[in-house]
């Protein structure tokens, strides 16, 4: 048996953040999260199962990963091998059209595309929930990128689920890129240090489910401003807990963008910031305000460029044999 498949997946930005894992095995989040899948940025991944000796080969953006860098990829591929009951080696080739490993959720789109391509290339006819569960085992945020629009991953759930379609809220996400290159502390390590060392870890774990419920309700009520306020609150609470453990993802430009977002609001333009495990800032605005907001954000000191993303589709297969 051999086969190949190519899948495309998009990153997502969590409006209510996942930060912290439940104790034990299996990579389960300690808090619920709700995200929007972003069209406009994409990962394209090809998986070929080959009848050859040796290790899996994982090439990201033209660079072959060392075994120590490919641990999560190989664990995911092992799960597919077990399910398909074969011993083939995988050749994985993946490309992002946005900066990798810098807090632009490349692990979300990367593991979502890898899970879908690996499953289908192995000839397994899994539904989206099962593919989401596989993606979650590698990166919990990747479980959400399997689905399009607004997506939730509950505590104790093994897969994510769609909460509302992409057109639920008229939304543009302006991704302010504030640095090139990989982040200093990966999200798994950042979460671990936060839960072990932050004096505010318990406060974060206690508050996150309430923020999540508020965002969910505001989204279903199509209340853009409430969604934005709560999303910014979630990101700031997450980072406050991390910063108190010495896990600081921000740079000077991150703060400059936060100031620009406040200035936009003071000037009457509803704009809200979200920040993941990196220095970039994702700014939520209405489509009618996107151009004005973009000019203000591009002028913030240290911003390298501003990418435009909108609510979009989940992971999809573009080729399979
Ligand atoms: O799934 P991971 O390990 O890439 O962690 C994601 C963590 C955040 O991006 C900061 C928050 C989130 O919910 O996506």
């Amino acid at each position: 048996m051999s086969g190949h498949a190519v899948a495309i997946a998009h990153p997502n930005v969590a409006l209510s953040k996942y930060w912290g894992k439940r104790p034990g095995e299996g990579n389960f989040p300690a808090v619920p999260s709700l995200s929007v899948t972003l069209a406009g940025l994409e990962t394209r991944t090809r998986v070929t199962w080959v009848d050859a000796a040796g290790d899996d080969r994982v090439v990201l953006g033209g660079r072959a990963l060392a075994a120590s860098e490919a641990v999560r990829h190989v664990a995911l591929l092992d799960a597919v091998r077990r399910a398909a009951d074969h011993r083939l080696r995988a050749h994985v080739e993946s490309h992002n059209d946005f900066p990798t490993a810098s807090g632009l959720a490349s692990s979300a789109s990367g593991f979502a595309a890898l899970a879908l391509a690996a499953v289908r290339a192995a000839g397994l006819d899994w539904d989206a929930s099962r593919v989401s569960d596989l993606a979650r085992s590698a990166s919990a945020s990747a479980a959400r990128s399997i689905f399009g629009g607004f997506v939730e991953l509950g505590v104790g759930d093994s897969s994510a689920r769609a909460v509302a379609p992409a057109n639920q809220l008229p939304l543009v996400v302006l991704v302010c890129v504030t640095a090139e290159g990989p982040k200093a502390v990966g999200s798994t390590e950042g979460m671990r240090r936060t839960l072990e060392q932050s004096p505010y870890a318990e406060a974060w774990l206690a508050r996150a489910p309430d923020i999540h419920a508020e965002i969910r309700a505001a989204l279903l009520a199509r209340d853009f401003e409430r969604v934005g306020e709560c999303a910014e609150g979630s990101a700031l609470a997450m980072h406050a807990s991390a910063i108190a453990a010495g896990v600081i993802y921000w740079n000077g430009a991150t703060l400059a963008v936060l100031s620009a977002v406040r200035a936009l609001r003071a000037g009457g333009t509803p704009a809200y910031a979200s920040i993941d495990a990196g220095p970039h800032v994702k700014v939520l605005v209405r489509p009618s305000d996107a151009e004005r907001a973009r000019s203000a954000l591009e002028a913030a000191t240290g911003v390298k460029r501003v990418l435009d993303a909108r609510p979009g589709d989940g992971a999809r297969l573009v080729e399979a044999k």
Side-chain angles (χ1 to χ4, degrees):
M1 196 214 100
S2 70
H4 84 266
V6 180
I8 286 178
H10 303 290
N12 66 76
V13 60
L15 304 173
S16 81
K17 299 292 184 199
Y18 147 55
W19 194 249
K21 297 178 195 293
R22 272 168 44 187
E25 296 296 302
N27 200 38
F28 287 95
V31 296
S33 57
L34 194 158
S35 59
V36 54
T37 303
L38 298 176
L41 310 171
E42 73 174 41
T43 298
R44 178 181 282 256
T45 300
R46 172 186 295 272
V47 174
T48 310
W49 292 107
V50 292
D51 200 354
D55 295 333
D56 296 320
R57 181 176 158 78
V58 182
V59 179
L60 297 191
R63 188 177 75 83
L65 298 192
S68 61
E69 298 171 299
V71 173
R72 283 193 288 171
H73 304 80
V74 172
L76 187 155
L77 295 165
D78 281 341
V80 175
R81 267 188 284 267
R82 278 195 300 277
D85 197 20
H86 73 54
R87 289 164 183 270
L88 304 178
R89 297 292 119 203
H91 286 176
V92 176
E93 236 183 279
S94 187
H95 182 77
N96 290 334
D97 68 355
F98 57 92
T100 300
S102 54
L104 279 184
S106 58
S107 74
S109 53
F111 285 113
L114 176 64
L116 182 59
V119 161
R120 290 299 162 81
L124 296 168
D125 188 22
W126 289 7
D127 66 10
S129 295
R130 198 155 173 204
V131 178
S132 173
D133 182 12
L134 176 67
R136 182 200 45 73
S137 65
S139 162
S141 59
R144 300 185 311 239
S145 274
I146 295 298
F147 298 94
F150 295 85
V151 182
E152 158 176 82
L153 179 62
V155 171
D157 292 348
S158 53
S159 57
R161 59 174 165 264
V163 174
N167 65 1
Q168 178 75 7
L169 216 55
L171 175 67
V172 169
V173 179
L174 296 169
V175 181
C176 302
V177 178
T178 63
E180 311 287 359
K183 59 193 168 194
V185 182
S187 55
T188 298
E189 174 65 8
M191 289 178 200
R192 192 187 58 75
R193 279 203 232 163
T194 302
L195 292 202
E196 283 178 14
Q197 296 169 22
S198 175
Y200 306 129
E202 275 180 34
W204 160 252
L205 294 175
R207 177 77 183 116
D210 297 340
I211 303 178
H212 176 81
E214 278 183 60
I215 292 182
R216 193 180 204 287
L219 173 68
L220 295 179
R222 299 181 192 272
D223 184 343
F224 171 80
E225 297 187 16
R226 190 73 191 128
V227 168
E229 282 164 10
C230 293
E232 188 170 305
S234 173
L236 292 177
M238 170 201 137
H239 282 275
S241 69
I243 287 169
V247 179
I248 304 174
Y249 288 109
W250 299 5
N251 62 23
T254 312
L255 285 165
V257 175
L258 285 177
S259 299
V261 167
R262 270 146 212 260
L264 279 166
R265 284 210 293 270
T269 302
Y272 304 93
S274 183
I275 308 167
D276 289 311
H280 314 294
V281 187
K282 289 105 183 185
V283 180
L284 315 175
V285 291
R286 287 198 176 93
S288 52
D289 291 326
E291 274 320 301
R292 183 175 337 130
R294 170 189 276 279
S295 309
L297 297 168
E298 280 173 345
T301 308
V303 170
K304 297 190 180 296
R305 59 188 180 280
V306 177
L307 312 174
D308 192 294
R310 284 160 204 263
D313 295 334
R316 67 186 187 281
L317 208 63
V318 289
E319 204 181 304
K321 200 170 118 247

